[in-house]
């Protein structure tokens, strides 16, 4: 689609000046060529946009309305599923005294909420730090295997110097951490691993939340969104009468101060359309069940016409 914005400037003609007709002819010809040009103007967003419709929340009533709308969306999407999910109850963190069950969505404020849940369970800060430090070594479990299988393809795609120190060892942004090296997998290699592995065998940190949390088999009644987590957890804590125990905090931040869309652009520019579409298909239920949309270049995913 081509957009034409017009602001007509009346030319100043000088009597007897032969350049008047030449200038008018040149402008007319250029305008005619521009209007008959059949090429498309690229109006697609330069960086990926992952968005969801959330109204501003300023009080408890508005919070309850937002939560109710999310619950209705989830139920509607689940009702369209032909097969029923099995309930994976072992992933839950139950707090019977608070009548609360939490399913962690990892990398979405999960460290913060691990603190909150353990505080609600009566654990001390020292206990919490010890529990959180007890985590699997992901490089030993996955990194070596990913590098071994996809490094050759990455070097063919991006060049032999892609994993050099000068290129941040394949990271799209400069890293201050000293532990990064060429032995670690890049984003592109990790995506190839995701695309060629069954989601049922994914680690909890990248398994689709809709699958990991069995969202169609358990009656969740609170769905909090990371994009608005500080407001939402405040009102959730108020409903739980736990404002003294639930506090916002941001662990594992690594965005170098970049805007979210700019950060996404640096990563998604490494992928082709085929990879992005295949990646979306794996996480499609998450987008649909939780109301997220994805726009990038000519791709418009989960945008209802």
């Amino acid at each position: 689609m081509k957009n034409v914005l017009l602001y007509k400037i009346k030319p100043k003609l000088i009597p007897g000046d032969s350049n008047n007709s030449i200038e008018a002819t040149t402008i007319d010809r250029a305008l005619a060529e521009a209007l008959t040009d059949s090429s498309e103007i690229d109006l697609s967003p330069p960086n990926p946009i992952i968005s969801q419709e959330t109204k501003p929340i300023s009080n408890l009533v508005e919070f309850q309305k937002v939560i109710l709308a999310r619950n209705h969306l989830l139920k509607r999407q689940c009702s369209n599923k032909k097969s029923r999910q099995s309930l994976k109850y072992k992933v839950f963190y139950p707090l019977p005294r608070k009548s609360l069950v939490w399913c962690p969505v990892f990398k979405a404020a999960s460290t913060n909420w691990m603190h909150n849940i353990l505080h609600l369970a009566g654990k001390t800060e020292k206990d919490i730090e010890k529990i959180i430090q007890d985590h699997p070594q992901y490089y030993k479990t996955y990194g070596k295997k990913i590098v071994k299988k996809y490094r050759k393809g990455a070097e063919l795609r991006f060049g032999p110097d892609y994993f050099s120190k000068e290129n941040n060892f394949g990271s799209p942004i400069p890293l201050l951490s000293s532990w990064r090296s060429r032995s670690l997998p890049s984003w592109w290699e990790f995506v190839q691993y995701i695309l060629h592995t069954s989601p049922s065998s994914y680690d909890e940190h990248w398994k689709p939340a809709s699958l990991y949390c069995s969202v169609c088999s358990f009656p969740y009644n609170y769905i909090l969104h990371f994009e608005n987590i500080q407001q939402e957890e405040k009102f959730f804590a108020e409903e739980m009468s736990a404002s003294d125990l639930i506090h916002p905090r941001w662990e594992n931040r690594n965005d170098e101060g970049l805007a979210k869309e700019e950060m996404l652009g640096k990563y998604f520019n490494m992928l082709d359309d085929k990879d992005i579409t295949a990646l979306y298909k794996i996480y499609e239920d998450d987008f649909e069940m939780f109301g997220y949309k994805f726009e990038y270049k000519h791709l418009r995913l989960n945008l209802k016409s």
Side-chain angles (χ1 to χ4, degrees):
M1 183 178 70
K2 182 162 290 190
N3 295 279
V4 180
L5 302 178
L6 298 175
Y7 175 64
K8 188 172 182 179
I9 301 176
K10 197 170 184 178
K12 183 177 181 181
L13 300 179
I14 302 175
D17 190 343
S18 60
N19 289 328
N20 290 335
S21 59
I22 296 174
E23 182 180 353
T25 302
T26 303
I27 293 173
D28 288 347
R29 185 183 298 116
L31 181 60
E33 290 175 357
L35 291 174
T36 56
D37 180 8
S38 61
S39 63
E40 290 291 322
I41 297 175
D42 187 6
L43 298 177
S44 58
N47 292 314
I49 297 175
I50 299 177
S51 60
Q52 34 86 36
E53 295 179 3
T54 297
K55 297 178 180 178
I57 302 173
S58 58
N59 56 59
L60 189 57
V61 173
E62 290 176 350
F63 171 71
Q64 292 168 340
K65 288 181 179 178
V66 167
I67 293 301
L68 187 61
R70 290 176 187 169
N71 290 340
H72 286 164
L73 173 63
L74 178 59
K75 289 178 182 178
R76 186 167 68 249
Q77 294 294 334
C78 287
S79 68
N80 295 329
K81 295 296 175 184
K82 295 181 180 179
S83 58
R84 187 173 180 82
Q85 295 175 322
S86 58
L87 182 61
K88 302 176 181 64
Y89 62 89
K90 290 184 179 180
V91 307
F92 294 158
Y93 287 76
L95 291 177
R97 287 184 300 172
K98 294 288 184 181
S99 300
L100 177 68
V101 173
W102 173 56
C103 182
V105 178
F106 291 97
K107 311 314 294 182
S110 58
T111 305
N112 171 36
W113 270 88
M114 183 67 76
H115 276 86
N116 288 333
I117 292 299
L118 292 174
H119 274 306
L120 288 171
K123 299 293 183 181
T124 66
E125 193 64 32
K126 186 176 180 180
D127 293 333
I128 293 171
E129 292 301 328
K130 185 177 184 303
I131 292 170
I132 291 177
Q133 286 175 8
D134 184 21
H135 64 278
Q137 298 295 315
Y138 285 97
Y139 173 67
K140 292 180 180 179
T141 307
Y142 303 102
K144 285 185 178 180
K145 179 171 64 176
I146 293 173
V147 169
K148 182 178 180 180
K149 190 168 185 178
Y150 299 106
R151 179 55 52 91
K152 186 176 180 180
E155 290 178 338
L156 287 172
R157 181 181 177 90
F158 300 108
D161 297 328
Y162 184 71
F163 292 96
S164 67
K165 183 178 180 180
E166 293 71 24
N167 196 46
N168 307 310
F169 302 110
S171 171
I173 59 172
L175 295 175
L176 298 177
S177 51
S178 58
W179 50 260
R180 180 78 192 179
S181 71
R182 64 176 291 113
S183 65
L184 296 175
S186 66
W187 161 248
W188 183 86
E189 292 168 315
F190 174 70
V191 169
Q192 302 314 304
Y193 164 75
I194 290 291
L195 296 181
H196 296 90
T197 307
S198 170
S200 62
S201 63
Y202 284 176
D203 180 83
E204 60 194 13
H205 283 76
W206 47 83
K207 182 172 286 189
S210 53
L211 181 63
Y212 181 73
C213 292
S214 310
V215 296
C216 291
S217 300
F218 189 81
Y220 293 100
N221 47 19
Y222 287 94
I223 301 170
L224 307 187
H225 282 189
F226 174 77
E227 292 77 9
N228 198 31
I229 191 65
Q230 290 196 3
Q231 278 188 312
E232 295 183 15
E233 68 183 2
K234 171 187 172 184
F235 292 114
F236 175 76
E238 188 177 328
E239 285 217 327
M240 289 283 298
S241 299
S243 297
D244 57 328
L245 296 173
I246 295 179
H247 305 291
R249 55 191 292 160
W250 194 344
E251 302 280 350
N252 304 323
R253 178 171 180 165
N254 187 30
D255 59 8
E256 296 298 316
L258 297 176
K260 181 183 75 172
E261 288 77 14
E262 187 179 355
M263 172 70 77
L264 287 171
K266 288 183 177 293
Y267 281 91
F268 276 83
N269 280 336
M270 298 164 64
L271 308 178
D272 56 31
D273 288 355
K274 184 179 178 182
D275 285 344
I276 295 173
T277 303
L279 200 58
Y280 173 78
K281 290 300 293 183
I282 292 172
Y283 296 93
E284 184 174 20
D285 280 350
D286 282 7
F287 278 84
E288 293 184 348
M289 291 180 176
F290 304 123
Y292 285 87
K293 304 173 178 61
F294 181 88
E295 299 177 70
Y296 185 45
K297 297 179 179 177
H298 63 280
L299 297 173
R300 301 289 186 273
L301 304 174
N302 200 32
L303 268 72
K304 308 302 181 184
S305 56

